[in-house]
């Protein structure tokens, strides 16, 4: 081999070595970054349920089955210049099974009075609450049916409101779609899931401040001609009725942008027993447009701030294998203008019993 060939071969070997090293280094760095990113994501996800074991007992099992009865309720009040009408449907009772695996919990409830697939004229409701140690999210969708009744009416001097109690009125439609999200500050020692999703057990009484935000899209349609006709049909002969113009509108659509704050407390009053009470007040900025039925047929707009509220209550027995209890969630939605005030209260009451099974690996090892 000539000296030139030796030099060329040596140069190629040097180039090959110098070129290979950066490639290996880059590949190794890329794998390391991927592993770091994956680890960061995994630690972040696990962080949502990281708790202090002295205060909170984690879930021991992989799966759960549960049966639940749900009772929903709603009340709507419209008032203007001393007149007011309160409308509410009959309470709705649903029953159904649930199945859970770790974070996922699925189920279905059906109205025991309307078992079947026909939905004509029925209320449509969807509520989903997600509880982790750090954050909670409520999603809700509600559309009224045609089963409203007049529960109370105050229409002026000399008119007996008892005449209208229980009178069916199908001329109002209320729709609510939105979400609430909130952060739990003392999430290491206070457990919302212990009270409302039964996935942990609170061992020592503890509370926490909360802060959140939310958005709601609302619609309100009122057939004021039908309302006035329904009221007049029940009045005594010779009595006169004139609804205030502020109560005579065709429709209103408005949006809520809410910032909320509140406090929750878990009271462990006996072994495996827990009572939770939680309240949040929301400062809401509402934007709306609607049309009244006054003489000029004028519309109105408003951008105002109002106060809404959310309350939660829960009573639970949980020995990690069996659990049973009840819970209630109540929401208020208010808005007012110079012409009228409208308030909507809706919520649900749940009673349940459930069973956990298939121990997680680390608890199987401990038991062995």
């Amino acid at each position: 081999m000539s000296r030139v060939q030796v030099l060329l071969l040596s140069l190629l070997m040097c180039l090959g070595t110098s070129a290979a090293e950066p490639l290996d280094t880059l590949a190794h760095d890329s794998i390391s970054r991927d592993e770091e990113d994956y680890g960061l994501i995994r630690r972040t996800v696990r962080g949502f349920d990281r708790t202090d074991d002295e205060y909170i007992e984690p879930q021991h099992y992989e799966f759960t089955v549960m049966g639940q009865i749900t009772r929903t309720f709603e009340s709507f009040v419209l008032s203007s210049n001393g007149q007011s009408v309160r409308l509410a449907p009959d309470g709705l009772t649903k029953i159904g099974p649930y199945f859970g695996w770790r974070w996922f919990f699925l189920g279905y409830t059906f109205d025991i009075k309307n078992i079947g697939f026909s939905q004509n004229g029925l209320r449509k409701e969807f509520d989903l609450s997600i509880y982790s140690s750090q954050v909670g999210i409520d999603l809700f969708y509600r559309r009224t049916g045609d089963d409203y009744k007049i529960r109370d009416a105050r229409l002026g001097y000399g008119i007996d409101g008892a005449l209208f109690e229980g009178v069916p009125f199908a001329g109002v439609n209320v729709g609510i779609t939105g979400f609430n999200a909130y952060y739990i500050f003392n999430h290491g020692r206070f457990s919302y899931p212990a009270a409302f999703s039964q996935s942990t057990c609170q061992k020592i009484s503890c509370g926490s401040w909360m802060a959140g935000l939310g958005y709601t899209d609302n619609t309100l349609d009122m057939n004021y001609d039908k309302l006035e006709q329904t009221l007049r049909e029940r009045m005594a002969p010779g009595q006169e009725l004139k609804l205030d113009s502020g109560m005579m509108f065709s429709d209103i659509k408005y949006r809520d942008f809410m910032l909320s704050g509140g406090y929750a407390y878990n009271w462990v009053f006996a072994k495996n027993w827990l009572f939770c009470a939680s309240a949040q007040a929301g400062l809401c900025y509402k934007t709306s447009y609607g049309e009244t039925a006054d003489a000029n047929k004028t519309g109105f707009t408003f951008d105002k701030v109002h106060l809404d509220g959310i309350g939660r209550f829960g009573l639970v027995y949980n020995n990690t294998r069996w659990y049973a209890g009840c819970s209630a969630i109540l929401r208020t939605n208010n808005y007012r203008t110079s012409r009228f005030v409208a308030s909507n209260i809706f919520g649900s009451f749940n009673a349940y019993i459930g069973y956990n099974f298939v121990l997680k690996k680390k608890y199987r090892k401990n038991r062995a």
Side-chain angles (χ1 to χ4, degrees):
M1 182 179 295
S2 66
R3 295 182 59 182
V4 174
Q5 289 176 319
V6 171
L7 288 174
L8 288 174
L9 180 60
S10 301
L11 180 61
L12 288 173
M13 292 176 64
C14 291
L15 289 175
T17 303
S18 62
E21 288 179 352
L23 288 175
D24 291 342
T25 303
L26 288 174
H28 182 270
D29 290 345
S30 177
I31 294 172
S32 299
R33 283 195 297 270
D34 290 342
E35 291 177 348
E36 290 177 0
D37 292 343
Y38 175 75
L40 177 61
I41 294 172
R42 185 173 58 182
R43 288 192 299 271
T44 301
V45 172
R46 288 182 175 178
F48 282 106
D49 269 346
R50 185 173 291 118
T51 58
D52 185 339
D53 290 346
E54 182 180 353
Y55 282 77
I56 300 170
E57 184 71 23
Q59 173 64 277
H60 291 190
Y61 297 88
E62 297 280 1
F63 301 96
T64 185
V65 289
M66 184 182 79
Q68 178 171 290
I69 298 176
T70 299
R71 178 78 171 177
T72 61
F73 50 88
E74 183 174 359
S75 179
F76 173 74
V77 179
L78 179 65
S79 59
S80 176
N81 292 329
Q83 293 184 335
S84 67
V85 176
R86 183 169 70 89
L87 302 164
D90 292 331
L92 186 67
T93 302
K94 296 182 177 182
I95 187 171
Y98 286 81
F99 175 80
W101 174 68
R102 295 189 178 183
W103 281 29
F104 300 96
F105 206 72
L106 301 175
Y108 177 79
T109 58
F110 53 88
D111 182 4
I112 60 176
K113 290 184 179 180
N114 297 282
I115 299 176
F117 297 98
S118 176
Q119 296 294 319
N120 294 331
L122 299 181
R123 280 172 275 171
K124 297 178 176 64
E125 301 176 352
F126 172 81
D127 293 276
L128 173 65
S129 294
I130 301 172
Y131 301 103
S132 73
S133 297
Q134 291 190 31
V135 298
I137 301 174
D138 296 327
L139 305 174
F140 44 90
Y141 172 91
R142 299 173 70 89
R143 294 295 183 271
T144 61
D146 55 7
D147 56 349
Y148 267 84
K149 294 180 181 178
I150 298 173
R151 303 298 180 178
D152 184 42
R154 299 180 183 181
L155 303 173
Y157 180 77
I159 300 178
D160 185 5
L163 295 172
F164 314 106
E165 293 181 7
V167 175
F169 177 66
V172 61
N173 291 289
V174 180
I176 301 173
T177 306
F179 77 92
N180 293 314
Y182 47 90
Y183 181 81
I184 301 166
F185 289 97
N186 191 20
H187 52 265
R189 296 182 173 182
F190 169 83
S191 176
Y192 238 164
F196 297 105
S197 64
Q198 303 82 47
S199 57
T200 61
C201 296
Q202 186 85 41
K203 297 193 288 187
I204 300 176
S205 299
C206 191
S208 177
W209 291 100
M210 300 178 296
L213 53 85
Y215 170 81
T216 307
D217 189 83
N218 304 265
T219 60
L220 172 60
D221 298 327
M222 174 72 79
N223 187 332
Y224 57 84
D225 288 329
K226 188 170 185 177
L227 176 62
E228 195 167 38
Q229 178 184 351
T230 301
L231 294 171
R232 283 178 175 170
E233 288 175 353
R234 298 300 296 262
M235 294 178 63
Q239 285 186 315
E240 294 293 333
L241 171 66
K242 181 173 178 56
L243 288 179
D244 187 83
S245 63
M247 299 179 67
M248 301 171 67
F249 57 86
S250 57
D251 67 87
I252 295 174
K253 297 178 181 180
Y254 69 99
R255 299 179 178 90
D256 288 353
F257 301 88
M258 181 178 71
L259 294 177
S260 64
Y263 189 80
Y265 189 79
N266 280 345
W267 176 34
V268 181
F269 59 89
K271 184 179 179 180
N272 299 328
W273 283 94
L274 168 68
F275 175 76
C276 177
S278 168
Q280 288 177 268
L283 202 61
C284 300
Y285 179 79
K286 301 175 186 277
T287 61
S288 174
Y289 176 81
E291 291 192 3
T292 61
D294 57 17
N296 297 323
K297 296 290 184 180
T298 57
F300 64 87
T301 59
F302 68 89
D303 293 70
K304 294 185 177 180
V305 174
H306 299 277
L307 195 65
D308 291 342
I310 306 171
R312 294 180 176 86
F313 306 90
L315 176 65
V316 184
Y317 172 82
N318 191 342
N319 63 10
T320 71
R321 170 72 82 171
W322 287 93
Y323 59 90
C326 56
S327 63
I329 301 177
L330 181 67
R331 297 184 177 91
T332 65
N333 195 337
N334 307 289
Y335 65 95
R336 65 178 64 236
T337 72
S338 59
R339 288 190 172 96
F340 70 92
V341 177
S343 300
N344 190 21
I345 301 175
F346 63 96
S348 61
F349 174 83
N350 304 306
Y352 52 85
I353 183 170
Y355 177 75
N356 296 313
F357 58 100
V358 182
L359 276 170
K360 293 181 178 179
K361 183 182 294 185
K362 64 177 181 179
Y363 294 106
R364 290 201 300 269
K365 292 180 179 179
N366 294 338
R367 180 167 292 186

